[in-house]
């Protein structure tokens, strides 16, 4: 209680707080909050609660307290597509209320998605408000992926206070028993110290075998009229309006008084409610099925008579309870649409599923439309298998009806869904079928989407030419139709495909997609544009621009809570920090992101890969396990953009383990794919590691400029290139191919990065090549080396003095003949020799060639 009062005092000073009050059912959350509310005299007390309906009413708790807000805010409740306005209006109302507001939202474990979104919105901004936001919930009913657990994990730590409630001690239980004149023998063991269990047990006649028996024993002592009221209240989750009770039962004042005196019910703000949800559930479950169904049917009939103001979720709940299939079919689709409009997509998917279970009598076209809606909500909530099943059934119905336009629409949709589950070949088949069918019937509106879908699939797979071809057609068609949404989607696809291949116009197209999306309020497309602008800039190593887009995206997401997209951008922030040598920041950010249970694979892959590489380079534990996990995720996608960074990590890990010459199949397959798709960034890093591993590597493939310089033995230019880009680790590796002064600088850089495993491996390589004592500074032999040959070039010269050919030197060093040829040319140039013989003679005069 003191922690809550301290938080309230801060709110009174103008710095709002969020308080999380949690514990098991019956632990005393509501009692604690009521005690706090009773002592609050500095402003308004607003209390709303969530209900245990089959599908909760969107924003249900805020309807409970709607009278406290302005008419404009009330008018926005339930308005489709006005969530952002509603959230902002409600926050403004709270800021303008007199005094300090105590806003209590109970039973958040039952909350719908829209309520949780609004709670998250308020909690992230509560410090601007003179208010204490109190959230109560049962933490023992939240699994790792429950949206409320994710919400709590995202709350600002400095603006939230956590108040866990624990069971009573055995001494406290004995004290309560003594106060009531009852024996405490066995009471603690039977109740576990749960306050509700204890008080119910002490109120019953004798110690019951369970709390359920305690509740039913108390109800059993009531008259039939009182029991009828208790039964009616039991089938309504949370609370029942007094008006409903009187309309259905018309109880006398004596009956109401007896029901309240029973200790099971209490009256509050025009409602009757059980003192504890466990008591209500005990009573509800004890009702014979015919009795419960009859009560639900009476309630449903009365609610229907009240008109359109009755929440649809109530009607679905009581229709299901009554076993009334026709009414379920009547109300569930409407409730599902209402839930979707409020962002409660899980609830919407469930409600559409309920409707489909009773849709046997619907015409085929109506059933197909219902299946499509169900599929879309399942897609939004990552229930992809269910989405595919409903989509395929809908496709069969549209084919049966001969509706080619809808058939093409479903084929395009199935393409997208199959990509999500990693079945890219099926996605391509469905996508192509969609285009062929829609072209044949000249359905230009759907065809534009189908073309853009093909562009997106090719872009994601790294097939630039195909992405541009399909996307250009979609852009032309969208511009002709004036369809700005398709235009934004297609520009994004083509722009991203060209941008990651270093085409300047690609960035312009992405920016145009962003501008169109912002102007038209296409939230998902805005988020996708920011995500692709960020990832493209990181991929092409335009780090300043990537950082700028990350900051712009963060500002946009902060007001819209678009977590799936913000997580993707954060994942690329970890990669940016990693590549620029900010390993501590990258590791901390990646670790924090990976603790969330709702991170999608496309965001999880870069974060996991960054964390794995940091640990591997530093020799920290767990790196290999993380690399195995991210490899499985990346291979499942089959996409080069996911595979290339992971394959490079695997190649580097093998080098760190000293497994020279061992060809990793993931690395070799990804290298081949990068070569086929002409990806210079991916191919450059992969070929670099293959070269260092002593494996065959292409000497002519188009690769990233800095890596090309290293391949051509121009280590100084390569080091300068990496320095200008801002990649210290890669610069250090380039310097490792230089002279002893460069190697010393490289080791100093690696030491600053704490890359102990890399340093160890580099020293082993130096030792194997005859270099000693690097920690003591440059060797005298190198200082006296007037030709300025690098260690590798000295090694080559030594082999030349032995009369070895380029082929023999390549075999000896496990390098390609092309690489050896580059080194020999460099030796000849530095020694001003026109032939190998002149080089050997010059080496003799300078005292070189026999050192290594």
């Amino acid at each position: 209680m003191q922690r809550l009062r301290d938080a309230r005092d801060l709110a009174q000073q103008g710095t709002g707080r969020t308080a999380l009050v949690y514990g098991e059912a019956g632990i005393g959350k509501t009692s604690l909050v009521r005690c706090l509310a009773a002592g609050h005299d500095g402003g308004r007390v607003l209390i709303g609660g969530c209900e245990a309906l089959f599908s909760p009413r969107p924003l249900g708790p805020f309807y409970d307290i709607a009278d406290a807000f302005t008419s404009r805010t009330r008018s926005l409740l339930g308005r489709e597509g006005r969530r952002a306005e509603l959230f902002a209006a409600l926050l403004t109302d709270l800021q303008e209320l007199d005094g300090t507001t105590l806003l209590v939202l109970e039973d958040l474990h039952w909350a719908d998605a829209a309520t949780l979104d609004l709670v998250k919105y308020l909690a992230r901004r509560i410090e601007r408000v003179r208010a204490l936001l109190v959230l109560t919930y049962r933490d023992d009913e939240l699994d790792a992926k429950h949206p409320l657990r994710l919400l709590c994990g995202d709350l600002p730590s400095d603006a939230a206070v956590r108040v866990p409630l624990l069971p009573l001690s055995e001494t406290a239980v004995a004290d309560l028993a003594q106060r009531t004149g009852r024996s405490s023998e066995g009471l603690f063991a039977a109740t576990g110290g749960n306050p509700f269990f204890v008080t119910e047990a002490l109120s019953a006649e004798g110690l019951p075998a369970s709390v359920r028996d305690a509740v039913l024993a108390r109800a059993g002592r009531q008259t039939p009229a009182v029991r009828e009221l208790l039964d009616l209240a039991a089938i309504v989750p949370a609370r029942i309006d007094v008006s409903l009770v009187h309309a259905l039962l018309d109880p006398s004042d004596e009956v109401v008084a007896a029901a309240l005196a029973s200790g099971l019910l209490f009256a509050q703000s025009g409602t009757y409610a059980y003192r504890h949800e466990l008591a209500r559930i005990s009573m509800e479950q004890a009702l014979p099925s015919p009795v419960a169904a009859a009560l639900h049917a009476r309630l449903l009939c009365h609610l229907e008579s009240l008109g359109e103001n009755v929440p649809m979720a109530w009607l679905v709940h009581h229709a299901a309870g009554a076993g009334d299939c026709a009414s379920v079919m009547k109300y569930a689709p409407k409730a599902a649409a209402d839930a979707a409009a409020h962002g409660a997509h899980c609830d919407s998917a469930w409600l559409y599923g309920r409707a489909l279970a009773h849709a046997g009598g619907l015409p085929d076209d109506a059933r197909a439309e219902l299946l499509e809606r169900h599929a879309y909500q399942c897609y939004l909530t990552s229930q992809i298998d269910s989405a595919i099943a409903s989509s395929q059934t809908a496709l069969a119905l549209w084919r049966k009806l001969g509706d080619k336009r809808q058939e093409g629409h479903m084929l395009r949709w199935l393409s997208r869904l199959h990509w999500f589950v990693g079945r890219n070949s099926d996605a391509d088949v469905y996508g192509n079928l969609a285009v062929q069918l829609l072209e044949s019937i000249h359905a230009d509106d759907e065809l534009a989407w189908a073309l853009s879908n093909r562009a997106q699939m090719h872009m994601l797979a790294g097939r630039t030419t195909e992405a541009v071809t399909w996307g250009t057609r979609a852009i032309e068609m969208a511009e002709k139709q004036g369809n700005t949404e398709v235009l934004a989607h297609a520009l994004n696809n083509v722009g991203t495909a060209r941008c990651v291949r270093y085409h300047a116009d690609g960035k312009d197209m992405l920016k145009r997609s962003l501008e169109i999306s912002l102007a038209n309020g296409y939230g998902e497309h805005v988020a996708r544009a920011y995500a692709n602008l960020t990832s493209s800039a990181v991929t092409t190593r335009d780090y300043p621009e990537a950082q700028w887009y990350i900051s712009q995206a963060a500002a946009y997401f902060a007001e819209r809570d678009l977590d799936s997209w913000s997580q993707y951008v954060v994942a690329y922030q970890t990669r940016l920090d990693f590549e620029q040598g900010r390993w501590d920041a990258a590791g901390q950010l990646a670790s924090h992101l990976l603790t969330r249970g709702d991170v999608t694979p496309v965001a999880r892959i870069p974060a996991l890969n960054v964390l794995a590489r940091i640990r591997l380079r530093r020799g920290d534990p767990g790196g290999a396990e993380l690399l195995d996990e991210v490899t499985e995720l990346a291979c499942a996608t089959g996409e080069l953009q996911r595979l290339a960074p992971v394959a490079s990590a695997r190649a580097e890990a093998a080098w760190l383990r000293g497994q020279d010459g061992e060809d990793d199949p993931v690395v070799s397959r990804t290298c081949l794919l990068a070569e086929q798709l002409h990806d210079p960034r991916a191919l450059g890093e992969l070929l670099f590691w293959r070269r260092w591993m002593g494996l065959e590597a292409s000497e002519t493939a188009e690769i990233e400029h800095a890596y090309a310089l290293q391949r051509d033995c121009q280590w100084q230019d390569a080091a300068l290139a990496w320095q200008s880009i801002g990649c210290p680790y890669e610069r250090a590796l380039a310097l490792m191919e230089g002279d002893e002064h460069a190697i010393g600088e490289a080791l100093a850089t690696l030491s600053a990065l704490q890359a102990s495993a890399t340093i160890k491996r580099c020293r082993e390589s130096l030792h194997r090549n005859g270099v000693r004592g690097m920690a003591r500074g440059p060797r005298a032999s190198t200082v006296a080396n007037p030709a300025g040959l690098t260690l590798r070039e000295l090694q080559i010269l030594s082999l030349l003095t032995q009369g070895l050919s380029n082929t023999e030197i390549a075999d000896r060093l496990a390098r390609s003949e092309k690489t050896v040829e580059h080194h020999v040319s460099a030796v000849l140039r530095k020694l001003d020799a026109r032939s190998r013989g002149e080089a050997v003679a010059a080496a003799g005069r300078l005292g070189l060639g026999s050192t290594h």
Side-chain angles (χ1 to χ4, degrees), residues 121-140:
Y121 180 90
L122 293 176
R124 288 179 173 178
R125 298 158 179 83
I126 198 66
E127 290 182 280
R128 312 177 196 169
V129 188
R130 294 169 62 88
L132 174 60
L133 174 61
V134 181
L135 312 175
T136 76
Y137 60 93
R138 300 178 190 170
D139 62 325
D140 59 335

Side-chain angles (χ1 to χ4, degrees), residues 179-220:
R179 294 183 191 184
T180 59
R182 303 286 297 277
S183 170
S184 64
E185 183 179 356
L187 184 58
F188 181 78
T191 63
N194 182 289
F196 172 71
F197 294 173
V198 172
T199 53
E200 289 299 316
L202 291 174
S203 300
E205 295 179 355
L207 183 65
S210 67
V211 173
R212 178 176 177 273
D213 292 338
V215 173
L216 297 180
R218 185 183 298 193

Side-chain angles (χ1 to χ4, degrees), residues 3 21 31 73 117 122 157 160 167 184 202 248 252 259 272 276 327 385 394 421 429 465 594 647 720 740 753 821 845:
R3 297 184 70 188
V21 179
S31 298
T73 300
D117 285 345
L122 293 176
S157 58
S184 64
L202 291 174
L248 294 171
S252 66
Y272 298 133
H276 198 282
S327 294
D385 288 341
V421 292
V429 169
T465 302
L594 293 170
L720 287 173
E740 286 201 15
L753 292 169
E821 184 180 330
R845 289 193 302 273

Side-chain angles (χ1 to χ4, degrees), residues 448-501:
W449 274 114
L451 294 172
S452 190
N453 173 71
R454 296 303 299 134
Q456 186 176 16
M457 293 298 104
H458 287 302
M459 176 271 288
L460 291 166
R463 297 190 290 265
T464 303
T465 302
E466 294 90 337
V468 171
T469 300
W470 288 101
T472 301
R473 288 184 61 193
I475 290 169
E476 292 171 352
M477 187 167 288
E479 288 178 331
K480 182 178 180 180
Q481 297 170 352
N483 191 330
T484 54
E485 187 174 9
V486 175
L487 179 60
H489 190 270
L491 283 168
N492 190 314
N493 298 327
V494 176
T496 303
R498 291 187 62 76
C499 193
V500 296
R501 294 297 184 269

Side-chain angles (χ1 to χ4, degrees), residues 300 304 315 319-320 322-333 355 358-359 362:
L300 176 63
E304 288 177 324
L315 298 172
D324 187 341
C325 294
S327 294
V328 170
M329 191 60 235
K330 178 181 178 181
Y331 297 119
H358 300 86
L362 278 183

Side-chain angles (χ1 to χ4, degrees), residues 489-525:
H489 190 270
L491 283 168
N492 190 314
N493 298 327
V494 176
T496 303
R498 291 187 62 76
C499 193
V500 296
R501 294 297 184 269
Y502 302 90
H503 296 290
D505 64 334
K507 190 183 299 181
D508 294 335
M509 297 176 84
L510 266 172
K511 290 179 179 179
R512 186 181 171 202
S513 172
L514 176 61
E515 291 169 0
I516 293 171
S517 301
L518 284 168
N520 290 276
Y522 302 145
E524 181 183 352
H525 301 315

Side-chain angles (χ1 to χ4, degrees), residues 63 66 132 271 385 513 553 573 591 649:
Y63 280 95
L132 174 60
T271 65
D385 288 341
S513 172
Q573 175 75 70
S591 297

